[in-house]
Amino acid sequence: QQQVKQSPQSLIVQKGGISIINCAYENTAFDYFPWYQQFPGKGPALLIAIRPDVSEKKEGRFTISFNKSAKQFSLHIMDSQPGDSATYFCAASIPGTYKYIFGTGTRLKVLA
Amino acid sequence: EAGVTQFPSHSVIEKGQTVTLRCDPISGHDNLYWYRRVMGKEIKFLLHFVKESKQDESGMPNNRFLAERTGGTYSTLKVQPAELEDSGVYFCASSHPSGGSYNEQFFGPGTRLTVL
Protein backbone atom coordinates (compact mmCIF):
# COMPACT_ATOMS: atom_id res chain seq x y z
CA GLN A 1 0.00 0.00 0.00
CA GLN A 2 1.65 3.21 -1.16
CA GLN A 3 -0.37 5.55 0.99
CA VAL A 4 0.36 7.85 3.86
CA LYS A 5 -2.65 8.77 5.98
CA GLN A 6 -2.44 12.14 7.70
CA SER A 7 -4.59 13.64 10.43
CA PRO A 8 -6.10 15.95 11.40
CA GLN A 9 -7.12 17.80 8.28
CA SER A 10 -7.07 21.10 10.17
CA LEU A 11 -5.86 22.20 13.56
CA ILE A 12 -6.27 25.35 15.64
CA VAL A 13 -3.86 25.93 18.50
CA GLN A 14 -3.35 28.79 20.90
CA LYS A 15 -0.04 30.61 20.85
CA GLY A 16 2.41 28.79 23.10
CA GLY A 17 0.58 25.49 22.80
CA ILE A 18 1.72 22.20 21.28
CA SER A 19 0.64 21.27 17.75
CA ILE A 20 0.58 17.56 16.93
CA ILE A 21 0.09 16.12 13.46
CA ASN A 22 -0.04 12.38 12.89
CA CYS A 23 0.76 10.16 9.94
CA ALA A 24 0.43 6.43 9.40
CA TYR A 25 1.68 4.13 6.66
CA GLU A 26 1.45 0.48 5.59
CA ASN A 27 4.48 -0.07 3.39
CA THR A 28 7.38 -1.17 5.59
CA ALA A 29 9.78 -0.56 2.69
CA PHE A 30 9.53 3.22 3.22
CA ASP A 31 12.91 4.39 4.47
CA TYR A 32 12.75 8.16 4.67
CA PHE A 33 10.06 10.37 6.18
CA PRO A 34 10.26 14.12 5.53
CA TRP A 35 7.86 16.78 6.73
CA TYR A 36 7.19 19.74 4.48
CA GLN A 37 5.79 23.14 5.46
CA GLN A 38 3.88 25.26 2.98
CA PHE A 39 2.91 28.90 3.37
CA PRO A 40 0.20 30.43 1.16
CA GLY A 41 1.50 31.24 -2.32
CA LYS A 42 4.72 29.32 -1.75
CA GLY A 43 5.86 25.82 -2.53
CA PRO A 44 6.34 23.19 0.17
CA ALA A 45 9.70 23.47 1.94
CA LEU A 46 11.49 20.75 3.88
CA LEU A 47 11.06 21.27 7.61
CA ILE A 48 12.55 18.16 9.19
CA ALA A 49 13.08 14.52 8.20
CA ILE A 50 13.77 11.18 9.86
CA ARG A 51 14.88 7.68 8.92
CA PRO A 52 13.26 4.61 10.51
CA ASP A 53 16.35 3.62 12.51
CA VAL A 54 15.77 6.62 14.78
CA SER A 55 12.80 7.03 17.14
CA GLU A 56 12.97 10.78 17.54
CA LYS A 57 14.54 13.78 15.87
CA LYS A 58 14.43 17.30 17.21
CA GLU A 59 15.27 20.57 15.49
CA GLY A 60 14.47 23.61 17.55
CA ARG A 61 10.76 23.63 18.37
CA PHE A 62 10.03 20.86 15.86
CA THR A 63 10.23 17.17 16.77
CA ILE A 64 9.44 14.03 14.79
CA SER A 65 8.45 10.99 16.83
CA PHE A 66 8.70 7.71 14.93
CA ASN A 67 7.09 4.43 15.97
CA LYS A 68 8.31 1.73 13.60
CA SER A 69 6.26 -1.11 15.08
CA ALA A 70 3.04 0.91 14.86
CA LYS A 71 4.00 2.31 11.45
CA GLN A 72 3.23 5.81 12.64
CA PHE A 73 5.10 9.06 12.88
CA SER A 74 4.13 12.46 14.11
CA LEU A 75 5.25 16.08 14.09
CA HIS A 76 5.21 18.02 17.34
CA ILE A 77 5.53 21.79 17.29
CA MET A 78 6.35 23.09 20.75
CA ASP A 79 5.54 26.66 21.82
CA SER A 80 3.52 27.16 18.63
CA GLN A 81 3.68 30.64 17.17
CA PRO A 82 1.38 32.52 14.77
CA GLY A 83 4.22 32.37 12.24
CA ASP A 84 3.87 28.57 12.27
CA SER A 85 0.44 28.89 10.65
CA ALA A 86 0.83 26.94 7.42
CA THR A 87 -0.07 23.64 5.78
CA TYR A 88 2.06 20.70 6.83
CA PHE A 89 2.60 17.58 4.74
CA CYS A 90 4.13 14.33 5.86
CA ALA A 91 5.74 12.15 3.22
CA ALA A 92 7.56 8.88 2.72
CA SER A 93 9.90 7.51 0.10
CA ILE A 94 10.83 4.03 -1.10
CA PRO A 95 14.47 2.98 -1.48
CA GLY A 96 15.58 2.94 -5.09
CA THR A 97 13.02 5.52 -6.12
CA TYR A 98 13.09 9.24 -5.76
CA LYS A 99 9.38 9.90 -5.50
CA TYR A 100 7.69 11.00 -2.33
CA ILE A 101 4.31 9.70 -1.22
CA PHE A 102 2.60 12.59 0.53
CA GLY A 103 -0.17 12.77 3.07
CA THR A 104 -3.21 14.95 2.43
CA GLY A 105 -1.90 17.88 4.47
CA THR A 106 -2.87 19.57 7.74
CA ARG A 107 -3.80 23.21 7.81
CA LEU A 108 -2.50 24.64 11.09
CA LYS A 109 -3.67 27.95 12.49
CA VAL A 110 -1.99 29.33 15.59
CA LEU A 111 -4.02 32.02 17.33
CA ALA A 112 -2.20 35.02 18.75
CA GLU B 1 20.95 30.95 -5.19
CA ALA B 2 17.70 31.15 -7.14
CA GLY B 3 15.05 28.64 -6.21
CA VAL B 4 12.82 26.56 -8.45
CA THR B 5 10.69 28.80 -10.62
CA GLN B 6 7.45 27.96 -12.37
CA PHE B 7 5.46 29.74 -15.04
CA PRO B 8 2.67 30.70 -15.18
CA SER B 9 1.54 31.04 -11.58
CA HIS B 10 -2.09 30.70 -12.64
CA SER B 11 -3.80 29.44 -15.77
CA VAL B 12 -7.51 29.30 -16.55
CA ILE B 13 -8.49 27.44 -19.70
CA GLU B 14 -11.55 25.88 -21.26
CA LYS B 15 -12.02 22.15 -21.44
CA GLY B 16 -10.43 20.83 -24.61
CA GLN B 17 -7.74 23.51 -24.78
CA THR B 18 -4.02 22.97 -24.41
CA VAL B 19 -1.84 24.33 -21.63
CA THR B 20 1.92 24.19 -21.19
CA LEU B 21 3.52 24.63 -17.80
CA ARG B 22 7.18 25.46 -17.41
CA CYS B 23 9.64 24.70 -14.64
CA ASP B 24 13.18 25.98 -14.18
CA PRO B 25 15.03 23.91 -11.57
CA ILE B 26 17.85 25.05 -9.33
CA SER B 27 21.05 25.24 -11.34
CA GLY B 28 23.06 22.02 -11.10
CA HIS B 29 20.11 19.88 -10.00
CA ASP B 30 19.96 16.91 -12.34
CA ASN B 31 16.81 15.55 -10.74
CA LEU B 32 13.53 17.22 -11.64
CA TYR B 33 10.10 16.14 -10.50
CA TRP B 34 6.52 17.03 -11.29
CA TYR B 35 3.78 16.65 -8.69
CA ARG B 36 0.13 17.63 -8.62
CA ARG B 37 -2.24 18.49 -5.81
CA VAL B 38 -5.93 18.31 -6.47
CA MET B 39 -7.83 20.46 -3.96
CA GLY B 40 -7.78 19.01 -0.46
CA LYS B 41 -5.98 15.84 -1.50
CA GLU B 42 -2.39 14.65 -1.29
CA ILE B 43 0.46 15.99 -3.37
CA LYS B 44 0.78 13.25 -5.96
CA PHE B 45 3.93 12.28 -7.85
CA LEU B 46 3.72 12.52 -11.63
CA LEU B 47 7.22 11.89 -12.94
CA HIS B 48 10.94 12.18 -12.39
CA PHE B 49 13.66 13.28 -14.81
CA VAL B 50 17.36 12.67 -14.45
CA LYS B 51 18.87 15.26 -16.73
CA GLU B 52 16.88 14.90 -19.96
CA SER B 53 15.79 11.28 -19.38
CA LYS B 54 12.51 10.19 -17.86
CA GLN B 55 13.48 8.00 -14.92
CA ASP B 56 10.01 7.30 -13.58
CA GLU B 57 6.74 8.36 -15.15
CA SER B 58 4.54 6.00 -13.19
CA GLY B 59 2.36 8.81 -11.86
CA MET B 60 1.37 10.35 -15.19
CA PRO B 61 -2.44 10.10 -15.33
CA ASN B 62 -2.84 9.37 -19.05
CA ASN B 63 -1.48 10.16 -22.49
CA ARG B 64 -2.97 13.66 -22.46
CA PHE B 65 0.02 14.65 -20.34
CA LEU B 66 3.41 15.10 -21.97
CA ALA B 67 6.53 16.11 -20.07
CA GLU B 68 9.80 17.10 -21.65
CA ARG B 69 13.14 18.31 -20.42
CA THR B 70 15.17 19.59 -23.31
CA GLY B 71 18.92 19.60 -22.75
CA GLY B 72 18.47 18.61 -19.14
CA THR B 73 17.65 22.14 -18.05
CA TYR B 74 14.09 23.45 -17.86
CA SER B 75 11.08 21.21 -18.19
CA THR B 76 7.62 21.62 -19.66
CA LEU B 77 4.42 19.76 -18.87
CA LYS B 78 1.80 19.93 -21.57
CA VAL B 79 -1.82 18.93 -21.07
CA GLN B 80 -3.68 18.33 -24.34
CA PRO B 81 -6.65 18.34 -24.42
CA ALA B 82 -7.38 19.52 -20.89
CA GLU B 83 -10.26 17.98 -18.94
CA LEU B 84 -12.09 19.27 -15.86
CA GLU B 85 -10.34 16.74 -13.58
CA ASP B 86 -6.94 18.15 -14.56
CA SER B 87 -7.58 21.19 -12.37
CA GLY B 88 -5.19 21.50 -9.47
CA VAL B 89 -1.83 22.88 -8.43
CA TYR B 90 1.13 21.52 -10.35
CA PHE B 91 4.40 21.60 -8.46
CA CYS B 92 7.86 21.17 -9.85
CA ALA B 93 10.75 20.17 -7.61
CA SER B 94 14.42 19.56 -8.09
CA SER B 95 17.20 17.88 -6.14
CA HIS B 96 20.95 17.53 -6.21
CA PRO B 97 22.43 14.62 -8.19
CA SER B 98 23.97 12.82 -5.22
CA GLY B 99 22.31 11.37 -2.15
CA GLY B 100 19.46 9.48 -3.77
CA SER B 101 16.03 9.72 -2.24
CA TYR B 102 17.47 11.21 0.97
CA ASN B 103 18.25 14.37 -0.89
CA GLU B 104 16.01 17.32 -0.17
CA GLN B 105 13.58 18.09 -2.93
CA PHE B 106 13.19 21.83 -3.42
CA PHE B 107 9.74 22.82 -4.58
CA GLY B 108 8.63 25.66 -6.77
CA PRO B 109 5.60 27.81 -5.91
CA GLY B 110 3.35 25.82 -8.22
CA THR B 111 1.06 26.58 -11.13
CA ARG B 112 -2.63 26.69 -10.29
CA LEU B 113 -4.51 25.25 -13.27
CA THR B 114 -8.26 25.71 -13.56
CA VAL B 115 -10.11 23.95 -16.36
CA LEU B 116 -13.62 25.30 -16.97
Side-chain angles (χ1 to χ4, degrees):
Chain A
Q1 283 285 358
Q2 293 203 23
Q3 256 190 330
V4 178
K5 294 183 180 179
Q6 183 171 348
S7 63
Q9 187 175 2
S10 62
L11 181 62
I12 299 175
V13 172
Q14 293 287 338
K15 178 182 175 182
I18 302 173
S19 303
I20 301 174
I21 303 170
N22 301 300
C23 287
Y25 62 96
E26 288 297 323
N27 190 341
T28 55
F30 289 149
D31 74 337
Y32 180 63
F33 300 87
W35 283 88
Y36 275 76
Q37 178 189 54
Q38 184 187 17
F39 293 106
K42 305 287 187 183
L46 179 66
L47 182 63
I48 186 172
I50 197 168
R51 298 186 196 186
D53 53 347
V54 176
S55 62
E56 185 176 279
K57 184 172 181 182
K58 185 174 180 178
E59 289 184 4
R61 296 184 295 108
F62 301 91
T63 300
I64 300 177
S65 296
F66 190 86
N67 186 330
K68 192 173 181 178
S69 60
K71 291 183 281 187
Q72 295 175 347
F73 58 110
S74 59
L75 176 70
H76 292 64
I77 306 174
M78 311 300 288
D79 187 26
S80 299
Q81 300 296 313
D84 297 330
S85 297
T87 300
Y88 293 80
F89 295 93
C90 61
S93 73
I94 303 173
T97 78
Y98 285 66
K99 64 184 177 186
Y100 289 166
I101 310 297
F102 281 91
T104 49
T106 296
R107 183 175 286 187
L108 170 66
K109 185 175 178 65
V110 181
L111 302 176
Chain B
E1 178 182 88
V4 177
T5 57
Q6 293 186 244
F7 183 83
S9 57
H10 293 83
S11 181
V12 180
I13 61 173
E14 299 280 337
K15 175 183 170 181
Q17 289 185 321
T18 297
V19 63
T20 300
L21 314 181
R22 174 172 170 141
C23 168
D24 286 82
I26 292 172
S27 177
H29 282 192
D30 288 348
N31 295 298
L32 187 148
Y33 316 83
W34 284 97
Y35 290 86
R36 175 174 74 176
R37 188 182 191 212
V38 172
M39 188 158 53
K41 298 200 171 180
E42 74 274 24
I43 300 173
K44 210 162 191 179
F45 170 84
L46 296 179
L47 90 161
H48 167 217
F49 281 101
V50 177
K51 296 185 180 178
E52 67 276 5
S53 300
K54 292 175 186 173
Q55 189 75 14
D56 180 354
E57 50 185 331
S58 61
M60 294 288 266
N62 51 60
N63 59 10
R64 295 185 293 102
F65 288 75
L66 175 64
E68 294 180 321
R69 191 179 182 194
T70 308
T73 55
Y74 71 91
S75 175
T76 57
L77 180 64
K78 180 191 284 189
V79 185
Q80 179 182 29
E83 297 289 344
L84 298 179
E85 64 264 24
D86 300 333
S87 296
V89 181
Y90 289 77
F91 291 106
C92 175
S94 69
S95 68
H96 194 270
S98 65
S101 59
Y102 302 141
N103 249 3
E104 177 178 355
Q105 293 186 18
F106 294 83
F107 280 74
T111 293
R112 182 175 295 276
L113 174 65
T114 302
V115 183
L116 302 176

